[in-house]
Each structure stands twice: as C-alpha cells, then as structure tokens.
Amino acid sequence: MANWTVNKPMGASLYVPTTHKDLLEIANGIKLPKLRSVIFCTEDAVADRELSYALFNLSVMLENMDPVGVLDRFVRVRNPEVLERVLAMKGSEHLTGFVIPKATRDNFDAYFKLVRQTGHMLMPTLETAEVFDEREMVAFRDLLRAPGVVGRILALRIGGNDLLALLGIRRPRNMTIYRTPLGSVIARLVTTFAPYGFRLTAPVFEHLDQEALLDMEVQEDLAHGLVGKTAIHPDQLPLIEMHYRVQPIDVAAAVRIMDEASPAVFKMGNSMCEVATHRAWAQTVLQQANHFGTYPDNSLAPNPDS
C-alpha cells in the first residue's frame, strides 16, 4: 500500500473503467508511465450488465498487481456490497484506498465499517442532493471529523456531472463549471470543509476537444483551493498537471515565509508577505514544487507545451 500522508499533493488522477483490457499494465505503470494516480471505476463507468465481468477483470488485476506500485491505485466501488467483494480479493491490500460514490452521512458508515481495520484511505464523493443543503454538509463534515475517521479521509471529491444532472442540466461546451450553478456550490463546499482540514478535488472536464477551456477551468480550480482533478482521458493529464507546477517567485517567497528568522511582514516580488497568515500557503507551494516542479520562468500564463 502506498505511504500516503494527509498533505501529499494530488494533481491529476485518471478514471479507468474496470472493464478496460489493460488494467494490469496501467496499475503496474507499464502503460501510461507518467501517471501518478489512477481510479479504477466499478460504478458509473460500468453498465449493470457488465458488472460481473468488471469485478472478475479487477480481481485478475489485483492478484497480479505489483505489491509496491509506482503510482497510487484506488478503486471506485459501486456500493458497500462491491466494496466487501473487492476487499475479499487477493491483492486488495496493495490498493491505496477507495473512492466512495454518492457519499452521505447516512450511508458512510456502511462503507467505513468494512475498511475500519485496514489501512486503506478513503475519498468520499459529494454528488447527491444533500450537497445543496448547507446544514447537511456541516453534519457530514462533523461525522467525518470523528476520531478514527478523520485520518482516513484523503480528500473529498466533487461529483460535478451528478450534481448538474440533479439540476437537469449538462455542462456547456463554452464555459467553465464555475459559470454554472455549481460555481457557488463548489465555493461553499470549500468554505465548509477546508477550514477543518479537509481537502477537495475538482469535477471532471468532459469535453475532450476544449483544451483552452480545460486550461482555464484548472486555473479556477486552483483559485478555489482544490488540490486535484480527475482526468477522463490520458491526454488531459499533462494539461491538468502543468498548472500544479509553481512559479519560482512563489517558491522564493514560500521559503522566506517558512524561515524562522523572517520578519512578521515583508515585501517580496511587489507583494506583501505576512508570515502568520501565509504559512499554510507557503507549505502548500513547497510541497507542490517538490512534487510537480517549477516553471522555467515567472510567466503567469504557462504554455501547455512547456
């Protein structure tokens, strides 16, 4: 199992249906060797009639998967029954963890009790009507903060397509998700969960021929403090992750902010740096720089080919 730390940078994760013919090659880093994180899906990406084959295909992958992976490997289960079946498969102990679909405070324990005695991390997905109820999200947050639970929550995933479906709409082809009714919902989820130590990841971007719009949306994801985004095609991976690289000027500022000898407030790069309020930002910047690298210059508009 991967050695996850709560603050490990996430970046791009790739959704792969468990019906895919190359599961083992992807899991072992043979195919898509630059992939950092993969989510093998048994839920929406698998039709009901294909579930038996999907689980058989997954079991073959798990039994033959390298115990120490070169990437982080998750399974998005369909329901608690599927989670129980996956946990019984040989090799499941080598998974980093599980993505819980349509997670609510009412169904969370049915999943958690199955992994309580394991070391697997969990990523509940916020994608039900309860997401639109602020009081319900506060109650769910309080449940997740319980001792023994909070340390197992790697991140909360925002399920954009399911949330839009509840509103009877689909993401437009000419605007980011932040210009739909979900823009304010995402902002509220961040302010509800992030101050209490929970990280959130951004909805998928479904239009594969709109690279410029994806580029814009990832910048907005980061501006909202979201720590990762799920890709639905390998071509999206570099377009997403290039934005997790850090500007050298930000690295320099972060290093100085973390320096115990720095004054409480100082100017750097024509910006005010305040140690007390910018320390969390500085820690994130240095972690991202270490994980994803830096830009070769201080350009504010990175080129996808850079």
Side-chain angles (χ1 to χ4, degrees):
M1 188 180 303
N3 292 319
W4 264 101
T5 60
V6 174
N7 293 319
K8 180 179 179 179
M10 296 187 68
S13 299
L14 180 66
Y15 264 140
V16 178
T18 44
T19 52
H20 198 286
K21 64 182 180 64
D22 297 324
L23 285 191
L24 183 61
E25 288 76 11
I26 294 172
N28 286 341
I30 298 170
K31 186 168 185 177
L32 306 176
K34 294 184 178 181
L35 182 63
R36 300 174 190 268
S37 172
V38 61
I39 300 172
F40 296 111
C41 184
T42 71
E43 202 224 1
D44 288 346
V46 175
D48 291 343
R49 65 182 181 277
E50 297 179 310
L51 182 59
S52 294
Y53 171 72
L55 292 177
F56 168 75
N57 202 33
L58 178 63
S59 70
V60 173
M61 181 203 82
L62 290 175
E63 186 169 358
N64 294 280
M65 190 171 70
D66 289 341
V68 180
V70 295
L71 72 163
D72 294 295
R73 302 169 293 197
F74 302 87
V75 172
R76 183 189 191 192
V77 295
R78 197 181 190 91
N79 49 46
E81 292 73 25
V82 168
L83 174 57
E84 188 170 19
R85 291 176 64 178
V86 175
L87 285 169
M89 295 176 183
K90 184 178 180 180
S92 64
E93 66 273 16
H94 302 309
L95 291 168
T96 307
F98 297 95
V99 174
I100 298 175
K102 300 172 178 61
T104 68
R105 66 180 173 125
D106 293 326
N107 66 21
F108 178 79
D109 189 60
Y111 291 98
F112 188 72
K113 67 182 181 181
L114 295 172
V115 300
R116 190 186 306 271
Q117 302 304 319
T118 75
H120 293 108
M121 302 298 289
L122 297 177
M123 291 194 286
T125 307
L126 306 175
E127 54 186 349
T128 65
E130 286 85 349
V131 171
F132 301 115
D133 184 336
E134 184 173 2
R135 291 173 300 178
E136 188 62 35
M137 288 296 95
V138 169
F140 191 25
R141 179 195 71 199
D142 292 343
L143 183 153
L144 295 177
R145 293 181 69 203
V149 177
V150 64
R152 304 290 292 279
I153 307 302
L154 180 61
L156 300 170
R157 310 189 75 80
I158 301 173
N161 282 343
D162 282 80
L163 292 173
L164 286 173
L166 289 169
L167 302 177
I169 57 180
R170 182 180 181 181
R171 168 201 287 275
R173 291 182 57 85
N174 62 343
M175 60 184 66
T176 73
I177 203 163
Y178 295 95
R179 291 186 59 197
T180 74
L182 290 194
S184 59
V185 174
I186 292 171
R188 179 172 51 76
L189 288 173
V190 171
T191 56
T192 298
F193 286 97
Y196 295 85
F198 293 102
R199 304 189 301 169
L200 296 99
T201 67
V204 301
F205 185 90
E206 65 192 85
H207 301 305
L208 299 177
D209 61 342
Q210 299 289 326
E211 293 184 359
L213 196 62
L214 172 59
D215 179 87
M216 184 184 303
E217 182 163 300
V218 178
Q219 293 182 61
E220 293 186 83
D221 293 339
L222 289 168
H224 281 75
L226 304 180
V227 301
K229 194 176 191 70
T230 304
I232 56 173
H233 190 281
D235 287 349
Q236 291 183 329
L237 296 171
L239 292 171
I240 294 171
E241 289 212 336
M242 70 174 185
H243 288 287
Y244 287 86
R245 284 185 268 171
V246 181
Q247 298 287 356
I249 192 172
D250 287 337
V251 174
V255 168
R256 192 169 176 196
I257 288 169
M258 298 299 295
D259 187 346
E260 296 295 335
S262 293
V265 180
F266 60 90
K267 186 180 82 169
M268 189 168 184
N270 289 318
S271 296
M272 181 192 76
C273 295
E274 190 172 23
V275 171
T277 57
H278 294 151
R279 182 173 292 273
W281 169 85
Q283 290 174 330
T284 298
V285 165
L286 295 178
Q287 288 165 353
Q288 282 187 218
N290 183 61
H291 200 64
F292 299 106
T294 61
Y295 294 118
D297 55 41
N298 289 325
S299 169
L300 296 179
N303 187 316
D305 296 326
S306 64

